[in-house]
Every structure is written in structure tokens, then in C-alpha cells.
Amino acid sequence: MAGAPAGLRYRIAVADLNAHLYEVTLTIDEPAADQQVSLPVWIPGSYLVREFARNLQGAPKATQGRRAVAVTQLDKASWRVAARAGQPLTLRYQVCAFDNSVRTAWLDRTRGFFNGTSLCLRVDGQDGSPCQIEIVPPALPEGEAPWQLATALRPLKTDRRGFGIYQAANYDEVADSPVEMGAFWSAEFDVLGVPHRFVVAGAPPSFDGDKLIADTRAICETQMRFWHADDAGLPPLHPGERPDEGPAASAKAKRPAKARAATQHPAPHDRYVFMLNATDDGYGGLEHRHSTALICTRRDLPRRGATKQPEGYTTLLGLISHEYFHTWNVKRLRPAEFARYDYTRENYTRLLWFFEGFTSYYDDLLLRRAGCIDDATYLKLLNKTINQVQQTPGAAVQSVADASFDAWIRYYRPDEQTPNTTVSYYTKGALVALCLDLTLRCEGQGSLDAVMRKLWRASEGGPIDEAAIGAALAHVGGRAYTNELSRWANGTAELPLRDLLPAHGVAIHEDPAQLAQALGLRVDESGGTVKVKMVLRGGAAEKAGFAAGDEWLAVETATRSAKAAEGWRIGKLDDIPLYLGAARKCVALVARDRRLMRLPLAWPSGDARTWRLAGSDADLLKRWLQG
């Protein structure tokens, strides 16, 4: 790296595969006197202080030339280095990487992965300095397949497998560019002139990569068209046509490359990498400007030769759609509070209901428009979201704006009281988006699609606040939406789904609630016993005295003579009606802290209902779902 401009130079190597240790060397070309360095305490997109410094193996060791330099720890994640100003300073340290999630770092004999926030020290006063990152291939045991490397960082000097030197404009780009290493499956594809790559670690032999790429390409093109529909570009799609099929696709394929390049959509990214880790058990994703890190179960991957793909594959496509939508909504169009990240502490915003909730609304809706699912499947997914919110007592306690602000202490730290005290800004935020979209359409003044594009143009893909959202709604809708935002996002008013859905071709059927919902319980029956996980506010179980952690062992019911009681051991809730008969009262026998307790339980009346959505007017439904 000789001759590189002054800045920061990271060298990341494997210290010990079996011990899960990375070795990091940081050279600061022009340090300050008594230079301070720190490791971030959180990673943007995941709103929890995760204390990445706890994985460091001792304090960094520092040298200037041949001289050892003292390092003093200042707090949980920062150090002061007694350096001389202007003389190159080198720090060396090791990091243990054994968190197989999308948020931190992992290393073993089969795979390596890391985010810059877990491995790369931040240099105070040099957040804007150019960075180089050298990634060294590991020495693998004899006979093992050689590793490849995938990242959205820009290569400066790399080998054919991807190892070598990369560059980043500043520390934010280092923090925002995860790296995947291993003997993974990989494919490249083009979306409207933008090169994309998809890598999958841990894929089983049945994995159908062609199916995954075809669906992912359709999702990506649909989203590019969504955001840039008002710009000059490729021919519009015909209703119901997948982006990779039909006249539009044929016309694109027949044009010379130069002609195609002249009509590409002005996407904000010039490259994109999907990094999927397939495990035995896991689900999630984390968005980045030019990439995303994903995790799913191997059972959810598409399978070669299958006539019907796994049900979880739709969930995976929804995750891909969600994280790709973030390329516009949160990574560029973002809360004003996130204009500059502070990596040392919580960064608060009241707008996660918009950035995560609206993204959650569009992830499945754009799956429908991409042709990956049909109307019935979309309504089933929407149905699930509605029931989740309606069965959360906390929706009447906390607004989604307040839930956004409290994400740091609530969303990522759920406990037995979570459904009673808060609401998910993902699910409730998605329903706020749904209600705004359907209201705009009912009033004949456009749609939420137009609002999103207006926000993009007005902000030039930059920071926004709630006033900007209100202004875009007013511009498209021709009136102020202050009342709706106040009641739906900043308040706890019931959303007008009963009126809006039928007006767009959706019938609402109400079915009897499942027994757990009727009782006000969330339980775990997987071990052949009924273990109470949560007791919902105001339900029959709470009134009887149930508590989270109880093991529900049996029920006692009065005999016909009413002089004695019959006891019945239960292994699942559905056993209870068998023994209860027409009785409306019983006694629940529960074990709490090894103590047996008898709780008198009044059986719920049966008024609890759950929604079931179905299409009722194909034309109305098509106008909405096809955009």
C-alpha cells in the first residue's frame, strides 16, 4: 500500500480459525497527539447498543516506528494512544468472532463474515479520511476448498478470488460494507444496467440458484421502476407482467448494449451484493447502501425440481424485498437525526414507523407486483400483519412514533410484558402505510407510491423529517393529512381498516379466535406441556392470575353432582374443551417456581374474533395491488 494518500489503512487477517480470532492492524498515517480511537457500540439499522468492544482480546498494542506507545482505556469502547503528532501510528489487536448473525462477526473453518463496526477501530477526528482495507486469505487445512470473498467495497488490487486491497471514501463506508468469505455459491446478474451479485453460504445440494436469481432480479427491477417511474427509462410493464418477461423485457433484450445503457433507470447505486447465510435455524437481514446481509434456514431455500416451493421461500423473498427497498428508504432517504451517525451512543428518531413500517408495507406488495406471489398469497400475508397488531394490547398503549423512539430499550429486548406495553413499528407502521395508501386512492388523489417518489425527489435522496412526510402527502393528496398522522402514527387510535379494505376489493370475515388468543395467552407447547410465555392485558388468563413462566399442568371441572371435582392432565390447550364440556368455569392447576397453584378460571365467552381476508372485487383489487 506504499504511495497511498494519507488516511487510514486496515489489514484484516485470520489469527486462528479454531479460536475464531481475527487479527487487525490499523495504520494511521497522520495521527493527532494523544490520538483517541474507539470501537462503535452499535451498527446502523439495528437499534441496540451491542458493545462490540467486549469481543476485543485485550487492549490494542501501539507503535510508532520501533517505539512502543502507551495505550490508556478511557471507557468501555475507547482508548487514548500517547502518540506523537504526524508520525505514522500502528495499532494491532485481535477480535473474537463467534456471533452467527448479520450484525457482528463470525469466523470458523467453514466461513468468515464481518461488519466494519465489529473489527475496525474508528479514529477520532478522521471520520472523513480515505480508508484502505486489505483482507488476507486464511491458511486453510489441507484438502479444503479455497475461500472466495464478496463485498460491495471498491477493489483497488485484488486477486481472482476477491482477496486483496479495497478502498472506502471514509469510515462510514467501512462501517457500511460487510464482508463474506468462504467456499460459497455465487452468481452475478444485471438489473437495468446495474451489476448485482448474490452469494449463498451453507446452501444444501437441493438448492435451486436459478430460481432464486430469477425471482431476485424481478424484485430488484420492480423496485427500481417503483422509485423511478417518473423518470425516463425502459418501457412500462403491462399489468400483471413480471419485469423479466413480456414485451418490455423482449424490447430491452433486442436493443444494443449502448442503446440499453442510454435508457437505464437512474438508480442511486452502481453495484449491489446480496450475502445470504443459510443455517439450520435463523432469520433476519441488515441493510447497507450497496449490499445486504441476510440469514435464513436451509429449508426455506428454493429446491431444484420442486413443483411447489417451501412456504418459507415466500418469507425469504419478502426479506430480500425488504432489505433492497432500504437501498432507497433509510440508507439514503433517512431520518434527519441520522444525517451523521454517532457511533458512541444511541441515535434516537421517532420515524422508524416510516422507514421500517413503510418498507414492511411495500416488501410484500412489491412481491405481488413482481409476479412472485398471487393476490391470495398477498392477502394472506397482509392478514397475518393485521391480526398481529390487533392481538397486541400494547397497540392501545403506545404509538408507533413512541415505539420508534423506544426501539433501543424495547424492540430488541422483548420480555413477557412486551405485547402489553408496546407495539411493533414494523407491523403497525406497515398498517399506517396501508391506510394512507388506500385513503389516497379512495379520494382519487394518487397513491402512497407517488408520495414516496415525491419525498425522494424533494429531498434529493437525503434526510427528511415528519414535516417533509406531511408535505409530500399534502402535495399528492391535495389536502393536509395532519389529523391522520396525529391519530395513526403519533396516537393510538384504531385504524380505519374496516372501511378502507372493502372499498378496494377485500372482504373481511371474522372467525372465532384460537383458544390461546381467546384466553389472552401466548404459550409454548413444543415439549408436550403448556408453558406460559406471555399473559395478555385484560384477558381471562390475567384475571385468573396466570403469570409468564407458569406451567399449566391440568384442569379441574365440577362433576354432574357438583359434590366433587374431576382433574385432567393436559398436554396442549386444545385438550381443555374436551374435558370442560358445557361448563363455563374450571380450576387451572399450574406450577410456578415448583409450587402448585389452583387458579379459578372463567372460560371466555367466545366473543374474541380473528380476521380472515379474501378478495371480493377483482377489478378493485387489481387497481391497488398492481399499482
Side-chain angles (χ1 to χ4, degrees):
M1 289 187 276
L8 310 178
R9 289 174 283 150
Y10 299 90
R11 183 180 186 272
I12 298 172
V14 171
D16 191 325
L17 282 173
N18 295 330
H20 320 291
L21 292 177
Y22 286 105
E23 183 169 85
V24 184
T25 304
L26 166 61
T27 300
I28 307 169
D29 289 336
E30 295 183 355
D34 290 331
Q35 177 69 63
Q36 291 191 26
V37 297
S38 61
L39 203 62
V41 302
W42 71 291
I43 182 170
S46 184
Y47 307 103
L48 178 67
V49 171
R50 297 187 182 275
E51 316 290 18
F52 299 129
R54 65 192 176 92
N55 295 313
L56 265 65
Q57 309 296 288
K61 303 293 190 295
T63 56
Q64 282 188 303
R66 297 182 179 180
R67 182 178 69 92
V69 179
V71 178
T72 303
Q73 187 162 2
L74 301 176
D75 56 33
K76 62 184 180 182
S78 63
W79 296 262
R80 181 175 60 243
V81 185
R84 297 171 181 170
Q87 181 182 344
L89 170 67
T90 300
L91 295 97
R92 295 180 176 85
Y93 53 96
Q94 292 186 345
V95 179
C96 184
F98 201 62
D99 180 356
N100 199 15
S101 75
V102 298
R103 299 175 295 265
T104 52
W106 172 264
L107 182 65
D108 69 0
R109 291 178 56 171
T110 64
R111 173 178 175 262
F113 172 84
F114 65 84
N115 288 285
T117 46
S118 288
L119 265 61
C120 298
L121 286 170
R122 180 181 149 268
V123 180
D124 282 16
Q126 297 202 34
D127 283 345
S129 297
C131 303
Q132 289 187 4
I133 305 95
E134 180 182 8
I135 307 172
V136 181
L140 298 172
E142 185 177 354
E144 297 207 5
W147 282 15
Q148 305 175 71
L149 184 148
T151 181
L153 286 165
R154 291 190 181 277
L156 189 63
K157 185 179 180 181
T158 59
D159 63 22
R160 60 184 179 83
R161 292 187 285 121
F163 289 94
I165 302 171
Y166 291 84
Q167 58 186 342
N170 48 42
Y171 185 82
D172 279 343
E173 189 172 353
V174 173
D176 199 36
S177 303
V179 173
E180 176 76 33
M181 300 181 291
F184 49 68
W185 177 91
S186 177
E188 297 179 355
F189 57 100
D190 176 277
V191 182
L192 300 181
V194 179
H196 287 60
R197 185 182 186 188
F198 209 126
V199 303
V200 181
S206 62
F207 168 57
D208 187 346
D210 291 340
K211 171 68 173 171
L212 179 65
I213 294 304
D215 288 334
T216 301
R217 181 190 286 115
I219 292 167
C220 294
E221 183 167 336
T222 298
Q223 295 200 11
M224 285 191 188
R225 291 177 180 274
F226 170 88
W227 282 102
H228 305 292
D230 300 332
D231 302 309
L234 294 174
L237 294 177
H238 295 280
E241 174 190 317
R242 276 178 66 114
D244 53 355
E245 298 173 349
S250 299
K252 178 179 72 171
K254 292 177 182 178
R255 290 196 301 276
K258 289 184 178 179
R260 294 202 302 270
T263 59
Q264 302 307 298
H265 280 240
H269 50 296
D270 60 0
R271 64 199 186 280
Y272 198 88
V273 182
F274 292 94
M275 289 170 268
L276 174 60
N277 180 25
T279 66
D280 183 64
D281 183 24
Y283 173 81
L286 189 61
E287 69 276 359
H288 302 279
R289 284 176 70 88
H290 292 94
S291 62
T292 183
L294 310 167
I295 187 169
C296 76
T297 72
R298 297 184 185 94
R299 293 177 293 277
D300 292 342
L301 291 173
R303 301 170 191 173
R304 285 197 303 268
T307 56
K308 183 180 180 181
Q309 294 297 340
E311 185 173 328
Y313 181 53
T314 299
T315 304
L316 173 59
L317 292 180
L319 177 64
I320 291 169
S321 180
H322 184 97
E323 303 305 336
Y324 197 70
F325 197 84
H326 275 319
T327 305
W328 292 265
N329 194 40
V330 92
K331 295 311 298 182
R332 291 170 176 84
L333 195 69
R334 61 194 183 277
E337 298 89 344
F338 293 175
R340 289 296 301 273
Y341 294 122
D342 184 344
Y343 294 100
T344 67
R345 61 179 181 84
E346 297 91 337
N347 290 213
Y348 293 100
T349 177
R350 294 176 60 82
L351 288 178
L352 294 182
W353 60 268
F354 177 84
F355 290 99
E356 291 293 354
F358 281 40
T359 299
S360 295
Y361 172 59
Y362 277 110
D363 56 20
D364 289 336
L365 182 58
L366 293 179
L367 281 190
R368 176 66 194 96
R369 294 182 187 173
C372 295
I373 58 176
D374 57 19
D375 290 353
T377 302
Y378 175 75
L379 291 180
K380 182 178 179 181
L381 294 170
L382 178 60
N383 203 148
K384 181 179 178 181
T385 300
I386 291 172
N387 283 335
Q388 284 177 338
V389 174
Q390 291 182 338
Q391 295 166 17
T392 301
V397 176
Q398 187 178 53
S399 71
V400 282
D402 288 339
S404 300
F405 197 84
D406 279 351
W408 298 90
I409 60 172
R410 292 185 186 272
Y411 184 79
Y412 290 94
R413 292 174 174 170
D415 59 29
E416 64 280 353
Q417 286 301 315
T418 293
N420 295 324
T421 58
T422 188
V423 65
S424 167
Y425 49 77
Y426 283 89
T427 53
K428 177 72 178 292
L431 297 187
V432 172
L434 169 68
C435 289
L436 287 170
D437 192 13
L438 300 189
T439 298
L440 286 163
R441 293 174 184 274
C442 275
E443 295 176 357
Q445 298 295 321
S447 67
L448 192 61
D449 303 6
V451 172
M452 301 301 286
R453 290 191 286 268
K454 172 63 178 175
L455 279 167
W456 179 260
R457 293 193 305 272
S459 69
E460 297 182 339
I464 63 170
D465 54 19
E466 188 172 325
I469 297 170
L473 283 164
H475 175 84
V476 174
R479 67 169 179 88
Y481 284 78
T482 308
N483 184 53
E484 285 84 354
L485 291 176
S486 175
R487 299 177 70 248
W488 302 346
N490 292 293
T492 58
E494 184 176 355
L495 299 176
L497 296 170
R498 287 185 182 275
D499 297 325
L500 291 172
L501 287 170
H504 290 83
V506 180
I508 301 172
H509 303 281
E510 295 194 54
D511 298 328
Q514 292 185 346
L515 188 51
Q517 180 192 344
L519 289 167
L521 287 175
R522 294 183 183 175
V523 300
D524 179 3
E525 300 176 325
S526 59
T529 60
V530 180
K531 294 183 178 179
V532 177
K533 296 170 59 180
M534 298 175 181
V535 180
L536 301 184
R537 187 62 38 80
E542 184 185 60
K543 294 174 182 177
F546 279 84
D550 287 351
E551 183 179 2
W552 193 348
L553 303 173
V555 291
E556 287 182 350
T557 61
T559 63
R560 292 176 182 174
S561 65
K563 293 181 180 180
E566 291 182 340
W568 298 92
R569 185 77 165 86
I570 63 170
K572 54 186 177 180
L573 289 184
D574 287 344
D575 290 343
I576 299 174
L578 175 66
Y579 306 128
L580 194 61
R584 306 312 304 163
K585 294 182 180 180
C586 66
V587 174
L589 275 68
V590 304
R592 182 182 302 170
D593 191 27
R594 297 286 179 176
R595 177 179 296 176
L596 291 179
M597 303 179 68
R598 300 174 76 252
L599 305 178
L601 175 64
W603 204 247
S605 64
D607 293 337
R609 316 295 286 180
T610 187
W611 281 19
R612 176 170 48 85
L613 305 183
S616 60
D617 187 313
D619 290 336
L620 288 175
L621 193 59
K622 183 176 182 180
R623 291 175 197 169
W624 164 34
L625 298 187
Q626 294 298 331

